[in-house]
Amino acid sequence: MGCAPMGHILYDEVMRYNPKNPYWFNRDRFILSAGHGCMLQYALLHLAGYDSVLASFLHILSFLLNLKSFRQWGSRTPGHPENFETPGVEVTTGPLGQGIANAVGLALAEKHLAARFNKPDNEIVDHYTYVILGDGCQMEGISNEACSLAGHWGLGKLIAFYDDNHISIDGDTEIAFTENVDTRFEGLGWHVIWVKNGNTGYDEIRAAIKEAKAVKDKPTLIKVTTTIGYGSPNKANSYSVHGSALGAKEVDATRKNLGWPYEPFHVPEEVKAHWSRHTPQGAALEAEWNAKFAEYEQKYKEEAAELKAIITGELPAGWEKALPTYTPESPADATRNLSQQNLNALVKVLPGLLGGSADLASSNMTLLKMYGDFQKDTPEERNVRFGVREHGMGAICNGIALHSPGFIPYCATFFVFTDYMRAAIRISALCEARVIYVMTHDSIGLGEDGPTHQPIEHLASFRAMPNVLMLRPADGNETAGAYKVAVLNKKRPSILALSRQKLPQLPGTSIEGVEKGGYIVSDNSSGNNPNVILIGTGSELEIAAKAADELRKEGKTVRVVSFVSWELFDEQSDAYKESVLPSAVSARVSIEAGSTFGWAKIVGSKGKAIGIDRFGASAPAGKIYKEFGLTPEAVVAAAKELC
């Protein structure tokens, strides 16, 4: 209620959009970082004319009925904004601070595309990103990470409204939040404006937006001091209005207090008439832009083709041919290095690929060698330097991915530090954002840095997360296969767990095998009935292969299976799964340098899972593997017990 003046001015007077095509490319983007206030956004979408596009065969009721079904089963008005559920909502917000960080990604995408594709005679990319955030967003550390980068990058078309109402769920913010936000944001490199009367100061808000747009080299924070629950005679300016409904009596009292005589959900005809202009205006804006793009396409064919691919998400024909391939004679190498080979091959054919690392590019091996750094004065470049800001990095990449379907952002750090960005990765999965998480130093194989840096439970935890592809490639072909899968999966993020240590290029691995999740690398049996099945992932596939060689010398029939992705394997047909892991063969041994949690699903009750169920240690990688029993000898011994 306190944000209504901001929302009204943005949607009715300032923002450029087409309600009949919520995905028009050059629209202004609006992010409600304070996502618990989503009824405001739903009401504004309805007034602006988005209701017709929100109807579908699954949602035959009008958007007005969806408003009445707020937060109920089957409605398109969930309890926090969800981009995959409600057209007109740009990103999924709710966990505080994520939205403002997403907005930084959206603004980065706009600045990058404008620098790359605009011409003196045709500025084909020109839109703003607007955000409303609250005190909770300001308190969460992710907002500071992302806003620090926004200031560093000079994202002048990012305008954030800070709903300064001094109330959080526990009460007045004085109990925990007394910093000077204005000074902090000035220190972060933002232009700061204070609107002292956000409840009724419409002209002040308009003037602040005008001033913000005049500042081209900095993002702007407009602090708007408001009263939470403005208009409610008994609950305004109290924490009780923050997270619970007013209740029927207080709603009636509020209606009387504001002089609003209409029934619930009634929109007066004069209000409808006033807002109805957005439908023809939006159509005209898009038509004007389409004509502008047609001219651009005639004059700048190559650039237009690249931009169109980013806008539509259509992959260039034959792009996958750029993926490098390897043979057993190719030199051994760490999969982090092989990953860099893939990134540098793909950036030549995928115009929307860009990304970087959390201050570890030289360790994660994520530099795009043919490009410079995305910086304030070189925004056309495609290496993004995130600094030590893992959480902000993940959320910014979500914003980039959701800006346009053809963007393919990647970000990198050590696999163990996904702990610092798990919330952003979870939102990637929930909001169907194609982000590629390049996670190196994936096991105890990183060696001397020790248990603080050695991931143990991380593979299992991401396998438990819905709509994430957890991929652990074993060599060059599997790394290429992992990238192919990550690019093709447009509606879910991928995590690539990559080794620090060198690994051999194994016989039998393939790009095509990775797409199945699990596949046979070698087998000397017949009739789909080996004596034992050895299953490995990543750096441990080599150990499984060596163990198989020893067992075969003793006359055993052994199948070696690479299990790169549990999720992809689960999606295969029952017939395929039976061809790889026949139900009649209970003698199964898995080996993975991580928690054994979950492996019983693969090896069965009679199989054995070799792994690590404690924290790691500081020592050279080879020594640690031996001490933890991750050796061919251990696999051979386990197999002999079973067969």
PDB file of all heavy atoms in Angstrom, residues 516 568-579:
ATOM      1  N   LYS A 516      22.957 -38.887 -22.198  1.00  0.00           N
ATOM      2  CA  LYS A 516      22.125 -39.923 -21.579  1.00  0.00           C
ATOM      3  C   LYS A 516      22.281 -39.933 -20.058  1.00  0.00           C
ATOM      4  O   LYS A 516      21.563 -40.658 -19.370  1.00  0.00           O
ATOM      5  CB  LYS A 516      22.515 -41.303 -22.125  1.00  0.00           C
ATOM      6  CG  LYS A 516      22.335 -41.462 -23.627  1.00  0.00           C
ATOM      7  CD  LYS A 516      20.869 -41.554 -23.995  1.00  0.00           C
ATOM      8  CE  LYS A 516      20.695 -41.942 -25.462  1.00  0.00           C
ATOM      9  NZ  LYS A 516      19.257 -42.003 -25.838  1.00  0.00           N
ATOM     10  N   LEU A 568      19.881 -36.673 -15.859  1.00  0.00           N
ATOM     11  CA  LEU A 568      19.698 -37.055 -17.257  1.00  0.00           C
ATOM     12  C   LEU A 568      19.429 -38.553 -17.382  1.00  0.00           C
ATOM     13  O   LEU A 568      18.620 -38.983 -18.216  1.00  0.00           O
ATOM     14  CB  LEU A 568      20.935 -36.665 -18.075  1.00  0.00           C
ATOM     15  CG  LEU A 568      21.153 -35.165 -18.283  1.00  0.00           C
ATOM     16  CD1 LEU A 568      22.484 -34.912 -18.977  1.00  0.00           C
ATOM     17  CD2 LEU A 568      20.012 -34.539 -19.080  1.00  0.00           C
ATOM     18  N   PHE A 569      20.087 -39.350 -16.577  1.00  0.00           N
ATOM     19  CA  PHE A 569      19.846 -40.795 -16.630  1.00  0.00           C
ATOM     20  C   PHE A 569      18.412 -41.111 -16.206  1.00  0.00           C
ATOM     21  O   PHE A 569      17.741 -41.943 -16.831  1.00  0.00           O
ATOM     22  CB  PHE A 569      20.834 -41.531 -15.725  1.00  0.00           C
ATOM     23  CG  PHE A 569      20.758 -43.029 -15.858  1.00  0.00           C
ATOM     24  CD1 PHE A 569      21.298 -43.675 -16.974  1.00  0.00           C
ATOM     25  CD2 PHE A 569      20.147 -43.808 -14.884  1.00  0.00           C
ATOM     26  CE1 PHE A 569      21.232 -45.059 -17.108  1.00  0.00           C
ATOM     27  CE2 PHE A 569      20.072 -45.185 -14.999  1.00  0.00           C
ATOM     28  CZ  PHE A 569      20.619 -45.813 -16.121  1.00  0.00           C
ATOM     29  N   ASP A 570      17.925 -40.437 -15.185  1.00  0.00           N
ATOM     30  CA  ASP A 570      16.547 -40.660 -14.730  1.00  0.00           C
ATOM     31  C   ASP A 570      15.531 -40.356 -15.816  1.00  0.00           C
ATOM     32  O   ASP A 570      14.429 -40.926 -15.823  1.00  0.00           O
ATOM     33  CB  ASP A 570      16.245 -39.789 -13.505  1.00  0.00           C
ATOM     34  CG  ASP A 570      16.851 -40.350 -12.230  1.00  0.00           C
ATOM     35  OD1 ASP A 570      17.234 -41.530 -12.230  1.00  0.00           O
ATOM     36  OD2 ASP A 570      16.938 -39.597 -11.235  1.00  0.00           O
ATOM     37  N   GLU A 571      15.884 -39.465 -16.740  1.00  0.00           N
ATOM     38  CA  GLU A 571      14.948 -39.064 -17.794  1.00  0.00           C
ATOM     39  C   GLU A 571      14.940 -40.013 -18.992  1.00  0.00           C
ATOM     40  O   GLU A 571      14.133 -39.840 -19.909  1.00  0.00           O
ATOM     41  CB  GLU A 571      15.284 -37.643 -18.253  1.00  0.00           C
ATOM     42  CG  GLU A 571      15.009 -36.600 -17.178  1.00  0.00           C
ATOM     43  CD  GLU A 571      15.611 -35.247 -17.485  1.00  0.00           C
ATOM     44  OE1 GLU A 571      16.100 -35.061 -18.628  1.00  0.00           O
ATOM     45  OE2 GLU A 571      15.594 -34.380 -16.594  1.00  0.00           O
ATOM     46  N   GLN A 572      15.823 -40.989 -18.995  1.00  0.00           N
ATOM     47  CA  GLN A 572      15.869 -41.930 -20.113  1.00  0.00           C
ATOM     48  C   GLN A 572      14.740 -42.964 -19.975  1.00  0.00           C
ATOM     49  O   GLN A 572      14.138 -43.118 -18.916  1.00  0.00           O
ATOM     50  CB  GLN A 572      17.227 -42.628 -20.168  1.00  0.00           C
ATOM     51  CG  GLN A 572      18.410 -41.690 -20.256  1.00  0.00           C
ATOM     52  CD  GLN A 572      18.267 -40.631 -21.340  1.00  0.00           C
ATOM     53  OE1 GLN A 572      17.990 -40.962 -22.500  1.00  0.00           O
ATOM     54  NE2 GLN A 572      18.451 -39.363 -20.977  1.00  0.00           N
ATOM     55  N   SER A 573      14.503 -43.680 -21.052  1.00  0.00           N
ATOM     56  CA  SER A 573      13.456 -44.708 -21.040  1.00  0.00           C
ATOM     57  C   SER A 573      13.850 -45.860 -20.119  1.00  0.00           C
ATOM     58  O   SER A 573      15.033 -46.082 -19.841  1.00  0.00           O
ATOM     59  CB  SER A 573      13.235 -45.244 -22.455  1.00  0.00           C
ATOM     60  OG  SER A 573      14.389 -45.966 -22.887  1.00  0.00           O
ATOM     61  N   ASP A 574      12.865 -46.597 -19.666  1.00  0.00           N
ATOM     62  CA  ASP A 574      13.141 -47.766 -18.828  1.00  0.00           C
ATOM     63  C   ASP A 574      14.007 -48.777 -19.574  1.00  0.00           C
ATOM     64  O   ASP A 574      14.882 -49.417 -18.978  1.00  0.00           O
ATOM     65  CB  ASP A 574      11.831 -48.423 -18.392  1.00  0.00           C
ATOM     66  CG  ASP A 574      11.074 -47.586 -17.373  1.00  0.00           C
ATOM     67  OD1 ASP A 574      11.700 -46.700 -16.745  1.00  0.00           O
ATOM     68  OD2 ASP A 574       9.860 -47.801 -17.206  1.00  0.00           O
ATOM     69  N   ALA A 575      13.760 -48.883 -20.886  1.00  0.00           N
ATOM     70  CA  ALA A 575      14.539 -49.843 -21.685  1.00  0.00           C
ATOM     71  C   ALA A 575      16.007 -49.445 -21.723  1.00  0.00           C
ATOM     72  O   ALA A 575      16.897 -50.300 -21.602  1.00  0.00           O
ATOM     73  CB  ALA A 575      13.978 -49.930 -23.102  1.00  0.00           C
ATOM     74  N   TYR A 576      16.263 -48.148 -21.883  1.00  0.00           N
ATOM     75  CA  TYR A 576      17.660 -47.707 -21.902  1.00  0.00           C
ATOM     76  C   TYR A 576      18.311 -47.940 -20.545  1.00  0.00           C
ATOM     77  O   TYR A 576      19.443 -48.449 -20.463  1.00  0.00           O
ATOM     78  CB  TYR A 576      17.771 -46.228 -22.290  1.00  0.00           C
ATOM     79  CG  TYR A 576      19.207 -45.752 -22.245  1.00  0.00           C
ATOM     80  CD1 TYR A 576      20.083 -46.062 -23.284  1.00  0.00           C
ATOM     81  CD2 TYR A 576      19.714 -45.061 -21.143  1.00  0.00           C
ATOM     82  CE1 TYR A 576      21.422 -45.680 -23.232  1.00  0.00           C
ATOM     83  CE2 TYR A 576      21.046 -44.673 -21.084  1.00  0.00           C
ATOM     84  CZ  TYR A 576      21.896 -44.989 -22.139  1.00  0.00           C
ATOM     85  OH  TYR A 576      23.218 -44.633 -22.078  1.00  0.00           O
ATOM     86  N   LYS A 577      17.626 -47.566 -19.484  1.00  0.00           N
ATOM     87  CA  LYS A 577      18.197 -47.742 -18.146  1.00  0.00           C
ATOM     88  C   LYS A 577      18.495 -49.214 -17.866  1.00  0.00           C
ATOM     89  O   LYS A 577      19.523 -49.547 -17.270  1.00  0.00           O
ATOM     90  CB  LYS A 577      17.251 -47.159 -17.098  1.00  0.00           C
ATOM     91  CG  LYS A 577      17.256 -45.639 -17.073  1.00  0.00           C
ATOM     92  CD  LYS A 577      16.435 -45.055 -15.952  1.00  0.00           C
ATOM     93  CE  LYS A 577      15.003 -44.888 -16.316  1.00  0.00           C
ATOM     94  NZ  LYS A 577      14.230 -44.088 -15.347  1.00  0.00           N
ATOM     95  N   GLU A 578      17.626 -50.087 -18.332  1.00  0.00           N
ATOM     96  CA  GLU A 578      17.852 -51.524 -18.151  1.00  0.00           C
ATOM     97  C   GLU A 578      19.049 -51.998 -18.967  1.00  0.00           C
ATOM     98  O   GLU A 578      19.799 -52.888 -18.542  1.00  0.00           O
ATOM     99  CB  GLU A 578      16.593 -52.301 -18.559  1.00  0.00           C
ATOM    100  CG  GLU A 578      16.700 -53.813 -18.471  1.00  0.00           C
ATOM    101  CD  GLU A 578      16.814 -54.348 -17.055  1.00  0.00           C
ATOM    102  OE1 GLU A 578      16.490 -53.601 -16.094  1.00  0.00           O
ATOM    103  OE2 GLU A 578      17.246 -55.508 -16.896  1.00  0.00           O
ATOM    104  N   SER A 579      19.288 -51.370 -20.112  1.00  0.00           N
ATOM    105  CA  SER A 579      20.424 -51.763 -20.952  1.00  0.00           C
ATOM    106  C   SER A 579      21.761 -51.369 -20.331  1.00  0.00           C
ATOM    107  O   SER A 579      22.793 -51.963 -20.644  1.00  0.00           O
ATOM    108  CB  SER A 579      20.296 -51.134 -22.347  1.00  0.00           C
ATOM    109  OG  SER A 579      20.604 -49.735 -22.313  1.00  0.00           O
TER     110      SER A 579
END
